[in-house]
């Protein structure tokens, strides 16, 4: 294989791989493991870089290799790719590329392009009997097509180059779409009318080759391939020699090329091979060029069609069945309706709560009950020390006796002014004694009604002082309860008075109690790091086992909605708020 062809081949490869800065095709010296350069390529203004490490890595593993995001001496970052060149079982060399650093997702695309290009390099190595002119003709043909700016220009240039290279009278290029071929370009003719008989017959010949997935050469009496459409073109229009080659891209037919000559110049094997190799190289470029120039709506339609084709195909059947199942599930969830219930933490409270407070300041003497105990009306709950009050009462009694004696003396002496002063002092002493007696009567604290102590444990505070008015106990009746539901502020808008619901207590998880919303407080409060509203509800048919302070979970029935909305409304509300905040 000549260095001339290798250099032309490498130039085309570097044009196909974007952001290429340098490239080299290295060959192994016979009988050694040393590499010698066969062809090199360098972009304008780029530094060559050292390709030896990536080449040695690819040769050592006999696998494609890459070095991503490598720091260069000029402080730039580059990616290196290399792939061994193998023909049969023989390792011939390695191809290495230096690219400007880009996204990791393009690694596979680079390797795919290298693999596709190496197939033609391997083919050329395996067919060394062909002359350099043969490969030069192929490369010049490809280079001429790639110089064009638009897809129609590529078609016209390809038809013209093939006609000139192979000395053909006509060369027609057709596109395969919707199971039939349409001629889109023809050499030696600027104006194209697909309705002409010649072009229709040529399109039929292209369909004949595509349907048989074979190259058709006319005349050819040895081949068993059907040639009816080709023979009809030859008979009606005088073209005695025809050659039709289907074009493939990604395993699918994209079109065909038909070459026409006179009967005196039939197509030989060299012409067939040149066309075959040239079309195999140019077909992917033509397909990508056509897609790139399509309108946005057309690209969207093609992508949608391809996506639907892949979705309904057998590839990845398990994943597709899972996706279909999920879609059906979401569809049913959006149609079927269920009860929407607001869930909130609940606490059981008595409808009436009475506070037992300290009547006077003093010292705690006894505590007969504590939280959780059941008490009867009039039962002693606690008492205060009365020693100080008794001393105060004795003191006031002594003062009263003294004032009365002085009153009698002043009355006997006729001192009316003193009588009035002492009489007032006697009244004051009587009032203070009466107050002390009343305080003595209140030092024993009794239950105001039958109920249960829901707060207060003074058993560990005996002898400690208490202030007047301080809360010692809270009592709730054994009958008549209310439920306090702590509804989150995000769900309070769904709650209305009169709505029904259910309650499950932690102490009785197997039983469900019915409730009715009675009142919604208008002020929010913070509880466990979130804003909640207190919603009061009444219980229906409350059992005797209930006690104030029990906790559980309540659910308020607010109406019916689709299951999909019930499951997603919280996330949607959060999303709307987040979008609004931005």
């Amino acid at each position: 294989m000549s260095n001339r062809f290798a250099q032309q081949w490498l130039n085309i490869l570097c044009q196909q791989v974007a952001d290429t800065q340098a490239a080299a095709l290295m060959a192994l010296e016979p009988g050694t493991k040393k590499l010698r350069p066969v062809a090199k390529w360098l972009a304008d203004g780029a530094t060559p870089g050292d390709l030896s490490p990536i080449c040695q890595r690819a040769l050592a593993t006999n696998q494609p290799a890459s070095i991503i995001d490598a720091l260069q001496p000029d402080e730039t970052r580059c990616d290196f790719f290399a792939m061994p060149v193998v023909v049969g079982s023989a390792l011939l060399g390695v191809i290495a590329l230096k690219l400007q650093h880009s996204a990791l997702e393009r690694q596979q695309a680079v390797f795919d392009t290298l693999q596709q290009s190496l197939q033609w390099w391997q083919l050329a190595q395996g067919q060394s009997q062909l002359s350099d002119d043969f490969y030069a003709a192929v490369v010049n043909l490809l280079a001429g097509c790639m110089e064009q700016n638009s897809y129609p220009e590529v078609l016209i240039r390809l038809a013209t180059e093939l006609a000139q290279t192979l000395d053909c009278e006509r060369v027609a290029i057709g596109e395969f779409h919707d199971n039939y071929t349409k001629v889109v370009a023809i050499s030696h003719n600027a104006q194209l009318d697909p309705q002409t008989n010649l072009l229709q017959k040529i399109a039929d010949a292209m369909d004949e080759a595509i349907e048989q997935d074979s190259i058709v050469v006319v005349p050819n009496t040895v081949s068993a391939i059907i040639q009816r459409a080709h023979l009809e073109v030859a008979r009606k229009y005088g073209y005695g020699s025809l050659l039709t080659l289907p074009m493939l891209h990604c395993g699918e037919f994209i079109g065909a090329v038909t070459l026409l000559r006179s009967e005196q110049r039939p197509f030989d094997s060299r012409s067939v091979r040149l066309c075959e190799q040239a079309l195999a190289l140019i077909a992917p470029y033509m397909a990508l060029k056509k897609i790139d120039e399509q309108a946005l709506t057309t690209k969207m339609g093609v992508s949608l069609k391809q996506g639907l084709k892949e979705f309904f195909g057998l590839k990845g059947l398990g994943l597709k069945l899972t996706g279909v199942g999920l879609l059906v599930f979401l569809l049913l969830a959006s149609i079927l309706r269920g009860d929407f219930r607001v869930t909130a933490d609940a606490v059981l409270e008595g409808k009436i709560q009475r506070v037992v407070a300290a009547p006077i300041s003093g010292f705690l003497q006894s505590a007969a009950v504590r939280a959780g105990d059941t008490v009867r009306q009039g039962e002693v709950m606690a008492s205060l020390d009365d020693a100080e009050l008794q001393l105060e009462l004795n003191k006031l009694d002594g003062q009263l006796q003294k004032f009365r004696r002085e009153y009698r003396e002043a009355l006997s002496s006729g001192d009316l002014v003193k009588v009035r002063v002492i009489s007032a002092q006697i009244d004051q002493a009587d009032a203070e004694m009466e107050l002390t007696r009343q305080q003595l009567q209140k030092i024993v604290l009794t239950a105001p009604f039958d109920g249960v102590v829901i707060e207060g444990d003074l058993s560990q505070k005996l002898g400690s002082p208490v202030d007047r008015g301080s809360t010692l106990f809270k009592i709730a009746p054994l009958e008549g309860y209310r439920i306090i539901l702590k509804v989150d502020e995000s769900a309070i808008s769904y709650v209305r008075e009169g709505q029904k619901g259910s309650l499950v207590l932690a102490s009785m998880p197997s039983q469900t109690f019915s409730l009715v919303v009675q009142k919604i407080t208008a002020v929010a409060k913070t509880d466990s790091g979130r804003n909640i509203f207190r919603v009061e509800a009444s219980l229906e048919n409350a059992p005797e086992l209930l006690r104030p302070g029990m906790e559980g979970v309540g659910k308020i029935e607010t109406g019916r909605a689709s299951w999909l909305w019930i499951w997603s409304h919280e996330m949607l509300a959060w999303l709307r708020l987040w979008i609004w905040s931005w």
Side-chain angles (χ1 to χ4, degrees):
M1 181 61 56
S2 68
N3 292 351
R4 175 185 174 189
F5 173 77
Q7 186 63 54
Q8 291 176 332
W9 173 84
L10 185 62
N11 293 343
I12 294 175
L13 172 63
C14 294
Q15 292 176 6
Q16 291 182 335
V17 181
D19 301 329
T20 301
Q21 296 183 352
L25 177 62
M26 314 291 287
L28 281 174
E29 292 286 354
T32 67
K33 293 187 177 180
K34 294 182 179 180
L35 293 171
R36 64 176 178 84
V38 177
K40 294 182 179 180
W41 187 89
L42 183 64
D44 295 337
T47 57
D50 188 6
L51 300 177
S52 299
I54 191 64
C55 292
Q56 295 297 335
R57 179 180 298 185
L59 290 176
T61 61
N62 200 20
Q63 296 289 334
S66 62
I67 300 176
I68 306 301
D69 197 17
L71 182 62
Q72 300 300 296
D74 58 355
E75 301 300 325
T76 61
R77 294 189 177 273
C78 298
D79 299 336
F80 293 87
F81 298 88
M83 181 172 291
V85 180
V86 181
V87 174
S89 59
L91 179 63
L92 300 182
V94 62
I95 173 69
L97 299 178
K98 175 188 175 184
L99 280 68
Q100 181 180 350
H101 177 59
S102 183
L104 297 178
E105 291 77 4
R106 76 166 180 178
Q107 293 188 42
Q108 189 58 44
V110 173
F111 283 131
D112 290 343
T113 304
L114 284 174
Q115 183 63 39
Q116 187 177 20
S117 299
L118 284 178
Q119 291 177 359
W120 300 108
W121 170 259
Q122 295 163 359
L123 180 62
Q125 286 287 95
Q127 300 177 358
S128 57
Q129 70 275 14
L130 298 177
S131 65
D132 290 346
D133 293 338
F134 175 89
Y135 296 105
V138 173
V139 173
N140 290 333
L141 179 64
L142 300 180
C145 294
M146 292 182 179
E147 290 176 354
Q148 307 307 309
N149 296 323
S150 65
Y151 176 69
E153 292 176 353
V154 172
L155 295 176
I156 296 174
R157 184 61 180 268
L158 176 60
T160 303
E161 289 289 339
L162 283 174
Q164 293 177 355
T165 303
L166 299 177
D167 193 19
C168 298
E169 296 182 14
R170 288 287 179 90
V171 174
I173 301 176
E175 290 183 351
F176 186 73
H177 185 67
D178 293 337
N179 297 321
Y180 73 93
T181 305
K182 177 182 178 182
V183 177
V184 294
I186 190 167
S187 63
H188 307 97
N189 195 344
Q191 301 295 327
L192 182 65
D193 184 6
Q195 301 302 322
T196 60
N197 293 333
L198 174 60
L199 297 187
Q200 291 180 358
K201 296 301 180 181
I202 292 176
D204 293 340
M206 292 177 177
D207 289 334
E208 189 174 63
I210 291 175
E211 289 172 0
Q212 299 178 86
D213 189 14
S214 177
I215 299 174
V216 179
V217 181
V218 174
N220 189 349
T221 59
V222 179
S223 176
I225 297 174
I226 298 174
Q227 305 175 357
R228 182 177 302 172
H230 288 75
L231 293 175
E232 186 175 357
V233 173
R235 184 176 67 254
K236 286 188 175 182
Y237 300 98
Y239 297 107
S241 299
L242 290 87
L243 171 62
T244 300
L245 301 96
M247 289 190 294
L248 287 168
H249 177 60
C250 296
E252 295 184 356
F253 291 105
I254 63 171
V257 175
T258 298
L259 295 86
L260 300 95
R261 283 179 178 175
S262 63
E263 186 177 357
Q264 290 75 21
R265 292 182 295 112
F267 290 97
D268 56 10
S269 59
R270 180 184 182 280
S271 301
V272 174
R273 190 175 303 154
L274 187 148
C275 291
E276 185 179 5
Q277 294 192 17
L279 293 180
L281 288 174
I282 198 62
Y285 174 77
M286 292 172 59
L288 295 177
K289 190 73 172 177
K290 180 181 178 182
I291 293 174
D292 183 61
E293 295 183 6
Q294 287 177 341
L296 180 60
T297 54
T298 306
K299 292 181 180 179
M300 294 175 61
V302 172
S303 300
L304 179 60
K305 182 178 179 180
Q306 183 65 25
L308 292 175
K309 182 178 179 181
E310 294 180 357
F311 181 79
F312 290 105
L314 296 179
K315 185 177 180 180
L317 185 59
L319 181 62
K320 293 174 183 177
L321 290 177
T322 302
V324 171
L326 179 61
L327 182 62
V328 172
F329 174 74
L330 293 176
L331 181 61
L332 292 177
S334 63
I335 295 175
L336 299 179
R337 300 175 66 83
D339 293 329
F340 173 49
R341 297 184 292 180
V342 174
T343 303
D345 295 334
V347 179
L348 189 64
E349 293 183 355
K351 287 185 178 180
I352 302 175
Q353 291 187 7
R354 184 68 58 84
V355 174
V356 178
I360 59 173
S361 298
F363 294 90
L364 187 64
Q365 186 176 23
S366 65
V369 297
R370 57 184 178 178
D373 292 344
T374 302
V375 295
R376 298 293 178 183
Q377 184 177 2
E379 182 180 344
V380 176
M381 301 179 66
S383 62
L384 302 178
D385 188 6
D386 63 348
E388 186 174 349
L389 292 177
Q390 290 291 352
L391 291 175
E392 182 68 20
L393 186 62
N394 292 335
K395 174 184 175 182
L396 292 174
D397 184 61
Q399 290 180 353
L400 181 60
Q401 297 299 328
K402 175 183 176 183
F403 290 149
R404 286 177 178 174
R405 186 173 60 254
E406 292 177 352
Y407 177 79
R408 288 193 295 271
E409 291 176 356
L411 188 62
S412 61
S413 63
D415 190 349
L416 298 179
V417 176
K418 190 174 181 180
V419 168
R420 292 192 184 94
V421 173
I422 295 175
S423 177
Q425 291 176 342
I426 292 174
D427 293 339
Q428 181 180 358
D430 283 336
E432 291 179 354
M433 288 183 66
E434 182 62 25
L435 178 61
T436 303
R437 292 190 189 97
Q438 292 180 4
Q439 290 178 346
L440 283 171
Q441 294 175 357
K442 295 179 181 180
I443 61 173
V444 178
L445 307 177
T446 59
F449 50 78
D450 296 345
V452 61
V453 180
I454 61 175
E455 186 178 321
D457 185 1
L458 305 179
S459 59
Q460 304 298 324
K461 297 182 180 180
L462 297 179
S464 61
V466 294
D467 295 328
R468 181 179 180 180
S470 59
T471 301
L472 302 181
F473 300 99
K474 283 186 179 181
I475 305 176
L478 293 174
E479 297 180 355
Y481 297 97
R482 66 179 178 181
I483 303 297
I484 302 300
L485 299 168
K486 303 176 181 179
V487 180
D488 192 272
E489 66 173 343
S490 62
I492 193 63
S493 60
Y494 305 113
V495 181
R496 300 287 185 273
E497 293 183 5
Q499 291 175 337
K500 295 184 178 181
S502 56
L503 170 70
V504 174
L505 297 173
S507 57
M508 293 178 282
S510 60
Q511 298 186 37
T512 303
F513 306 100
S514 299
L515 57 85
V516 178
V517 176
Q518 299 291 340
K519 183 180 178 181
I520 303 173
T521 58
V523 179
K525 60 180 295 187
T526 303
D527 182 82
S528 301
R530 60 192 183 100
N531 284 346
I532 58 100
F533 283 82
R534 285 171 55 93
V535 176
E536 296 182 8
S538 61
L539 276 178
E540 299 178 354
N541 302 323
E544 296 181 357
L545 295 176
L546 297 184
R547 292 292 183 272
M550 289 183 173
E551 296 184 350
V553 176
K555 294 180 181 253
I556 304 173
E557 298 177 359
T558 60
R560 295 181 63 81
S562 67
W563 286 109
L564 184 61
W565 182 88
I566 292 174
W567 296 331
S568 62
H569 74 280
E570 291 184 357
M571 182 184 66
L572 293 176
W574 174 85
L575 184 61
R576 291 191 190 100
L577 185 61
W578 182 81
I579 293 175
W580 170 251
S581 66
W582 283 91

